[in-house]
């Protein structure tokens, strides 16, 4: 089975530009998560979806960030306009709901974003 | 208060020896899950092992085992017979099941960096 797929793997852009990160979850998974990892703040959950519906976006830093999941196999995280402090590794993860606490999240390889 | 605490920022271990990575957690939820992930220098997050709060036995997966002490709220990862490829960051994470505000979130600790010496 293919794992979580993210693109691009690396993105370098200039301040003020729009950035779009893409994610394809594992087929059949009904939860999708977007995380950001920085040295200062560690791993932070930005937003997550259940069956394509955003459930909790309380981690989204500000209005410059938006995320969509138009269908079960695709999600985007957009930053507009980008700022240098957005430089980080962005991970997408997916999981399959079970009735217990053991829903394992499987992570994509991440997108390393650098905003100059 | 921190929900997941990993007190060891970094540690060295000799190849072929065992190493224990500490993780303590804080929750009032009676039903929760604890996870360990490995992040090598290449950057990906790799799921290693899971322990449920109601599991009677400690979880094991190959060379990985989880020393789960519920009363102490600790879930330490033990890596036996360390290999050079075990050099990585290791993250402990928790999912709370019954607390509605927790949703389906994973809360991560700050991580422990392990360097295996030949």
């Amino acid at each position: 089975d293919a794992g979580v797929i993210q693109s691009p793997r690396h993105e370098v852009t200039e301040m003020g530009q729009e950035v779009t990160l893409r994610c394809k979850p594992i087929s059949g998974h009904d939860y999708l998560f977007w995380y950001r990892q920085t040295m200062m703040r560690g791993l932070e959950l930005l937003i997550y979806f259940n069956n394509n519906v955003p459930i909790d976006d309380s981690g989204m830093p500000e209005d410059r960030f938006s995320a969509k999941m138009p269908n079960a196999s695709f999600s985007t995280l957009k930053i507009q306009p980008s700022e240098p402090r957005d430089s980080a590794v962005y991970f997408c993860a997916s999981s399959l709901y079970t009735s217990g606490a053991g829903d394992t999240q499987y992570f994509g390889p991440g997108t390393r974003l650098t905003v100059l | 208060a921190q929900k997941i605490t990993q007190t060891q920022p970094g540690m060295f271990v000799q190849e072929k020896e065992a190493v224990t990575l500490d993780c303590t957690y804080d929750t009032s939820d009676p039903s929760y899950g604890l996870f360990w992930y490995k992040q090598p220098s290449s950057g990906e997050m790799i799921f290693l092992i899971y322990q449920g709060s109601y599991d009677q036995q400690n979880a094991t997966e190959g060379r990985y085992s989880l020393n789960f002490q519920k009363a102490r709220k600790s879930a330490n990862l033990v890596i036996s017979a360390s290999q050079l490829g075990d050099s990585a960051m290791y993250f402990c994470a928790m999912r709370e099941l019954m607390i509605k505000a927790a949703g389906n979130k994973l809360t991560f600790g700050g991580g422990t960096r392990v360097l295996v010496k030949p």
Side-chain angles (χ1 to χ4, degrees):
Chain A
D1 277 343
V4 176
I5 299 171
Q6 290 187 247
S7 65
R9 294 294 307 276
H10 302 273
E11 177 80 32
V12 180
T13 190
E14 293 190 344
M15 183 173 64
Q17 296 298 307
E18 177 180 296
V19 175
T20 300
L21 310 181
R22 297 173 176 80
C23 175
K24 177 179 169 56
I26 293 172
S27 177
H29 281 191
D30 51 359
Y31 278 88
L32 184 139
F33 306 81
W34 282 101
Y35 290 89
R36 178 171 69 175
Q37 185 179 35
T38 61
M39 289 293 293
M40 291 296 295
R41 300 173 69 91
L43 265 164
E44 304 174 275
L45 177 66
L46 300 177
I47 185 171
Y48 75 94
F49 296 82
N50 176 222
N51 291 324
N52 315 336
V53 176
I55 301 301
D56 186 343
D57 65 355
S58 59
M60 295 286 261
E62 47 198 276
D63 292 345
R64 297 184 297 106
F65 285 69
S66 62
K68 293 182 180 179
M69 192 165 185
N71 57 62
S73 58
F74 184 65
S75 177
T76 60
L77 178 68
K78 188 175 292 187
I79 309 172
Q80 165 65 17
S82 58
E83 296 182 3
R85 60 193 168 123
D86 302 329
S87 297
V89 179
Y90 291 81
F91 287 102
C92 176
S94 71
S95 69
L96 177 63
Y97 173 77
T98 65
S99 58
D103 299 358
T104 299
Q105 293 184 19
Y106 295 93
F107 283 70
T111 295
R112 183 174 294 277
L113 173 66
T114 302
V115 183
L116 303 174
Chain B
Q2 293 275 357
K3 284 203 172 231
I4 297 285
T5 303
Q6 295 181 251
T7 57
Q8 306 151 309
M11 55 198 307
F12 290 97
V13 59
Q14 200 67 40
E15 192 178 11
K16 299 181 185 176
E17 292 186 351
V19 61
T20 298
L21 308 183
D22 295 342
C23 173
T24 57
Y25 57 91
D26 181 26
T27 182
S28 57
D29 194 331
S31 182
Y32 53 90
L34 297 155
F35 302 79
W36 278 92
Y37 286 84
K38 172 185 178 181
Q39 187 176 39
S41 58
S42 50
E44 70 269 32
M45 293 284 288
I46 303 166
F47 165 70
L48 295 178
I49 195 168
Y50 161 78
Q51 178 85 43
S53 59
Y54 293 120
D55 292 345
Q56 295 296 313
Q57 294 192 328
N58 287 340
T60 61
E61 286 287 348
R63 294 186 299 111
Y64 304 108
S65 60
L66 209 153
N67 183 2
F68 181 46
Q69 299 189 41
K70 195 170 182 177
R72 294 186 176 185
K73 294 189 174 179
S74 75
N76 298 340
L77 177 70
V78 180
I79 307 173
S80 62
S82 297
Q83 302 172 356
L84 297 179
D86 294 334
S87 295
M89 280 287 284
Y90 290 82
F91 292 94
C92 180
M94 176 174 66
R95 175 174 179 255
E96 296 162 293
L97 186 62
M98 303 301 288
I99 295 176
K100 193 171 183 180
N104 197 15
K105 301 177 189 177
L106 274 182
T107 303
F108 284 85
T112 295
R113 183 172 298 281
V114 172
L115 186 59
V116 180
K117 298 187 292 185

